[in-house]
Amino acid sequence: MPVDTAVLHRFSLRAPLVAALAGAVLSLSGCTMFGGAKDPVVPVNASPGDGAQTVQASKLQKFLWIFSPYRPDIQQGNFISQEMLTQLKVGQTREQVKFLLGTPLLTDIFHADRWDFPFYLARGDGELTSSRVTVYFKDNKVEKFDGGNLPTEKEYIARIAGPSKVAAKEAPKREEAGSASIKINK
């Protein structure tokens, strides 16, 4: 019987050690199911007139991403800026719309006179941006379009690359040829 107590003694010391090791491995492996938290989802039922919508990650999710692997930025769909939408006019042909906005991502055989241009940008830090532009045609000409308040191209670039760092230093003034300056010290 002394063998049984020695075996039980080994297992009683190993069980907490194995449980602690398994917990450490799960927490450092980037398990995103902590507390049922998943990546935030952009609302699908957003109307096209709402424009671009941005959803920020919570502070807890940002903290947990320290332990997760690298997440690249994912862009899907056609980015349409405010400048591009202002060039779109009622009465333009389908070819002109394709030239301005690109090939539509969604064309439906049941709604042949409607083109949808969804856009989705998921940043690695959890920020999600989505927008949707819908163009309606009648007799192969633009009848109306919905887009809402879209970001400009500069805002989009700032969102991807971060704010630009403009050098605040001014270059020293250079004197023109033929001019002279005199400095008098008293």
Side-chain angles (χ1 to χ4, degrees), residues 43-55:
V44 177
N45 59 358
S47 66
D50 291 343
Q53 300 175 350
T54 301
V55 177

mmCIF file with all atom_site columns, all heavy atoms in Angstrom, residues 43-55:
data_model
loop_
_atom_site.group_PDB
_atom_site.id
_atom_site.type_symbol
_atom_site.label_atom_id
_atom_site.label_alt_id
_atom_site.label_comp_id
_atom_site.label_asym_id
_atom_site.label_entity_id
_atom_site.label_seq_id
_atom_site.pdbx_PDB_ins_code
_atom_site.Cartn_x
_atom_site.Cartn_y
_atom_site.Cartn_z
_atom_site.occupancy
_atom_site.B_iso_or_equiv
_atom_site.pdbx_formal_charge
_atom_site.auth_seq_id
_atom_site.auth_comp_id
_atom_site.auth_asym_id
_atom_site.auth_atom_id
_atom_site.pdbx_PDB_model_num
ATOM 1  N N   . PRO A 1 43 ? -22.785 47.079 -37.796 1.00 0.00 ? 43 PRO A N   1
ATOM 2  C CA  . PRO A 1 43 ? -24.185 46.758 -38.025 1.00 0.00 ? 43 PRO A CA  1
ATOM 3  C C   . PRO A 1 43 ? -24.486 46.617 -39.513 1.00 0.00 ? 43 PRO A C   1
ATOM 4  O O   . PRO A 1 43 ? -24.142 47.469 -40.308 1.00 0.00 ? 43 PRO A O   1
ATOM 5  C CB  . PRO A 1 43 ? -24.932 47.949 -37.422 1.00 0.00 ? 43 PRO A CB  1
ATOM 6  C CG  . PRO A 1 43 ? -23.923 48.901 -36.945 1.00 0.00 ? 43 PRO A CG  1
ATOM 7  C CD  . PRO A 1 43 ? -22.578 48.325 -37.122 1.00 0.00 ? 43 PRO A CD  1
ATOM 8  N N   . VAL A 1 44 ? -25.142 45.513 -39.871 1.00 0.00 ? 44 VAL A N   1
ATOM 9  C CA  . VAL A 1 44 ? -25.463 45.247 -41.263 1.00 0.00 ? 44 VAL A CA  1
ATOM 10 C C   . VAL A 1 44 ? -26.716 46.007 -41.670 1.00 0.00 ? 44 VAL A C   1
ATOM 11 O O   . VAL A 1 44 ? -26.884 46.372 -42.822 1.00 0.00 ? 44 VAL A O   1
ATOM 12 C CB  . VAL A 1 44 ? -25.655 43.729 -41.479 1.00 0.00 ? 44 VAL A CB  1
ATOM 13 C CG1 . VAL A 1 44 ? -26.057 43.418 -42.898 1.00 0.00 ? 44 VAL A CG1 1
ATOM 14 C CG2 . VAL A 1 44 ? -24.407 42.989 -41.100 1.00 0.00 ? 44 VAL A CG2 1
ATOM 15 N N   . ASN A 1 45 ? -27.595 46.274 -40.722 1.00 0.00 ? 45 ASN A N   1
ATOM 16 C CA  . ASN A 1 45 ? -28.856 46.903 -41.047 1.00 0.00 ? 45 ASN A CA  1
ATOM 17 C C   . ASN A 1 45 ? -28.749 48.424 -41.158 1.00 0.00 ? 45 ASN A C   1
ATOM 18 O O   . ASN A 1 45 ? -29.747 49.112 -41.143 1.00 0.00 ? 45 ASN A O   1
ATOM 19 C CB  . ASN A 1 45 ? -29.909 46.532 -40.002 1.00 0.00 ? 45 ASN A CB  1
ATOM 20 C CG  . ASN A 1 45 ? -29.494 46.955 -38.600 1.00 0.00 ? 45 ASN A CG  1
ATOM 21 O OD1 . ASN A 1 45 ? -28.407 47.486 -38.407 1.00 0.00 ? 45 ASN A OD1 1
ATOM 22 N ND2 . ASN A 1 45 ? -30.356 46.707 -37.631 1.00 0.00 ? 45 ASN A ND2 1
ATOM 23 N N   . ALA A 1 46 ? -27.543 48.944 -41.279 1.00 0.00 ? 46 ALA A N   1
ATOM 24 C CA  . ALA A 1 46 ? -27.372 50.389 -41.419 1.00 0.00 ? 46 ALA A CA  1
ATOM 25 C C   . ALA A 1 46 ? -27.896 50.828 -42.770 1.00 0.00 ? 46 ALA A C   1
ATOM 26 O O   . ALA A 1 46 ? -27.651 50.194 -43.779 1.00 0.00 ? 46 ALA A O   1
ATOM 27 C CB  . ALA A 1 46 ? -25.904 50.765 -41.285 1.00 0.00 ? 46 ALA A CB  1
ATOM 28 N N   . SER A 1 47 ? -28.610 51.913 -42.779 1.00 0.00 ? 47 SER A N   1
ATOM 29 C CA  . SER A 1 47 ? -29.173 52.400 -44.038 1.00 0.00 ? 47 SER A CA  1
ATOM 30 C C   . SER A 1 47 ? -28.091 53.104 -44.840 1.00 0.00 ? 47 SER A C   1
ATOM 31 O O   . SER A 1 47 ? -27.148 53.661 -44.279 1.00 0.00 ? 47 SER A O   1
ATOM 32 C CB  . SER A 1 47 ? -30.337 53.337 -43.762 1.00 0.00 ? 47 SER A CB  1
ATOM 33 O OG  . SER A 1 47 ? -29.877 54.502 -43.116 1.00 0.00 ? 47 SER A OG  1
ATOM 34 N N   . PRO A 1 48 ? -28.203 53.106 -46.170 1.00 0.00 ? 48 PRO A N   1
ATOM 35 C CA  . PRO A 1 48 ? -27.174 53.725 -46.996 1.00 0.00 ? 48 PRO A CA  1
ATOM 36 C C   . PRO A 1 48 ? -27.037 55.221 -46.752 1.00 0.00 ? 48 PRO A C   1
ATOM 37 O O   . PRO A 1 48 ? -25.991 55.787 -46.988 1.00 0.00 ? 48 PRO A O   1
ATOM 38 C CB  . PRO A 1 48 ? -27.645 53.448 -48.429 1.00 0.00 ? 48 PRO A CB  1
ATOM 39 C CG  . PRO A 1 48 ? -28.606 52.328 -48.322 1.00 0.00 ? 48 PRO A CG  1
ATOM 40 C CD  . PRO A 1 48 ? -29.196 52.417 -46.959 1.00 0.00 ? 48 PRO A CD  1
ATOM 41 N N   . GLY A 1 49 ? -28.072 55.881 -46.292 1.00 0.00 ? 49 GLY A N   1
ATOM 42 C CA  . GLY A 1 49 ? -28.014 57.314 -46.063 1.00 0.00 ? 49 GLY A CA  1
ATOM 43 C C   . GLY A 1 49 ? -27.197 57.707 -44.847 1.00 0.00 ? 49 GLY A C   1
ATOM 44 O O   . GLY A 1 49 ? -26.916 58.878 -44.636 1.00 0.00 ? 49 GLY A O   1
ATOM 45 N N   . ASP A 1 50 ? -26.825 56.730 -44.016 1.00 0.00 ? 50 ASP A N   1
ATOM 46 C CA  . ASP A 1 50 ? -26.067 57.040 -42.803 1.00 0.00 ? 50 ASP A CA  1
ATOM 47 C C   . ASP A 1 50 ? -24.630 57.432 -43.093 1.00 0.00 ? 50 ASP A C   1
ATOM 48 O O   . ASP A 1 50 ? -23.996 58.082 -42.287 1.00 0.00 ? 50 ASP A O   1
ATOM 49 C CB  . ASP A 1 50 ? -26.076 55.848 -41.842 1.00 0.00 ? 50 ASP A CB  1
ATOM 50 C CG  . ASP A 1 50 ? -27.457 55.599 -41.249 1.00 0.00 ? 50 ASP A CG  1
ATOM 51 O OD1 . ASP A 1 50 ? -28.307 56.514 -41.330 1.00 0.00 ? 50 ASP A OD1 1
ATOM 52 O OD2 . ASP A 1 50 ? -27.684 54.503 -40.727 1.00 0.00 ? 50 ASP A OD2 1
ATOM 53 N N   . GLY A 1 51 ? -24.095 57.010 -44.221 1.00 0.00 ? 51 GLY A N   1
ATOM 54 C CA  . GLY A 1 51 ? -22.711 57.314 -44.557 1.00 0.00 ? 51 GLY A CA  1
ATOM 55 C C   . GLY A 1 51 ? -21.771 56.329 -43.903 1.00 0.00 ? 51 GLY A C   1
ATOM 56 O O   . GLY A 1 51 ? -22.119 55.191 -43.626 1.00 0.00 ? 51 GLY A O   1
ATOM 57 N N   . ALA A 1 52 ? -20.556 56.769 -43.646 1.00 0.00 ? 52 ALA A N   1
ATOM 58 C CA  . ALA A 1 52 ? -19.548 55.902 -43.054 1.00 0.00 ? 52 ALA A CA  1
ATOM 59 C C   . ALA A 1 52 ? -19.779 55.783 -41.554 1.00 0.00 ? 52 ALA A C   1
ATOM 60 O O   . ALA A 1 52 ? -20.066 56.760 -40.881 1.00 0.00 ? 52 ALA A O   1
ATOM 61 C CB  . ALA A 1 52 ? -18.155 56.445 -43.332 1.00 0.00 ? 52 ALA A CB  1
ATOM 62 N N   . GLN A 1 53 ? -19.648 54.581 -41.051 1.00 0.00 ? 53 GLN A N   1
ATOM 63 C CA  . GLN A 1 53 ? -19.807 54.314 -39.628 1.00 0.00 ? 53 GLN A CA  1
ATOM 64 C C   . GLN A 1 53 ? -18.524 53.700 -39.110 1.00 0.00 ? 53 GLN A C   1
ATOM 65 O O   . GLN A 1 53 ? -17.960 52.816 -39.737 1.00 0.00 ? 53 GLN A O   1
ATOM 66 C CB  . GLN A 1 53 ? -20.965 53.360 -39.380 1.00 0.00 ? 53 GLN A CB  1
ATOM 67 C CG  . GLN A 1 53 ? -22.276 53.882 -39.865 1.00 0.00 ? 53 GLN A CG  1
ATOM 68 C CD  . GLN A 1 53 ? -23.370 52.844 -39.691 1.00 0.00 ? 53 GLN A CD  1
ATOM 69 O OE1 . GLN A 1 53 ? -23.108 51.693 -39.380 1.00 0.00 ? 53 GLN A OE1 1
ATOM 70 N NE2 . GLN A 1 53 ? -24.595 53.256 -39.892 1.00 0.00 ? 53 GLN A NE2 1
ATOM 71 N N   . THR A 1 54 ? -18.065 54.177 -37.955 1.00 0.00 ? 54 THR A N   1
ATOM 72 C CA  . THR A 1 54 ? -16.848 53.650 -37.362 1.00 0.00 ? 54 THR A CA  1
ATOM 73 C C   . THR A 1 54 ? -17.170 53.130 -35.964 1.00 0.00 ? 54 THR A C   1
ATOM 74 O O   . THR A 1 54 ? -17.819 53.811 -35.180 1.00 0.00 ? 54 THR A O   1
ATOM 75 C CB  . THR A 1 54 ? -15.768 54.738 -37.268 1.00 0.00 ? 54 THR A CB  1
ATOM 76 O OG1 . THR A 1 54 ? -15.507 55.219 -38.589 1.00 0.00 ? 54 THR A OG1 1
ATOM 77 C CG2 . THR A 1 54 ? -14.487 54.192 -36.681 1.00 0.00 ? 54 THR A CG2 1
ATOM 78 N N   . VAL A 1 55 ? -16.705 51.923 -35.684 1.00 0.00 ? 55 VAL A N   1
ATOM 79 C CA  . VAL A 1 55 ? -16.894 51.295 -34.381 1.00 0.00 ? 55 VAL A CA  1
ATOM 80 C C   . VAL A 1 55 ? -15.517 51.110 -33.764 1.00 0.00 ? 55 VAL A C   1
ATOM 81 O O   . VAL A 1 55 ? -14.643 50.506 -34.377 1.00 0.00 ? 55 VAL A O   1
ATOM 82 C CB  . VAL A 1 55 ? -17.616 49.933 -34.522 1.00 0.00 ? 55 VAL A CB  1
ATOM 83 C CG1 . VAL A 1 55 ? -17.747 49.259 -33.171 1.00 0.00 ? 55 VAL A CG1 1
ATOM 84 C CG2 . VAL A 1 55 ? -18.967 50.114 -35.175 1.00 0.00 ? 55 VAL A CG2 1
#
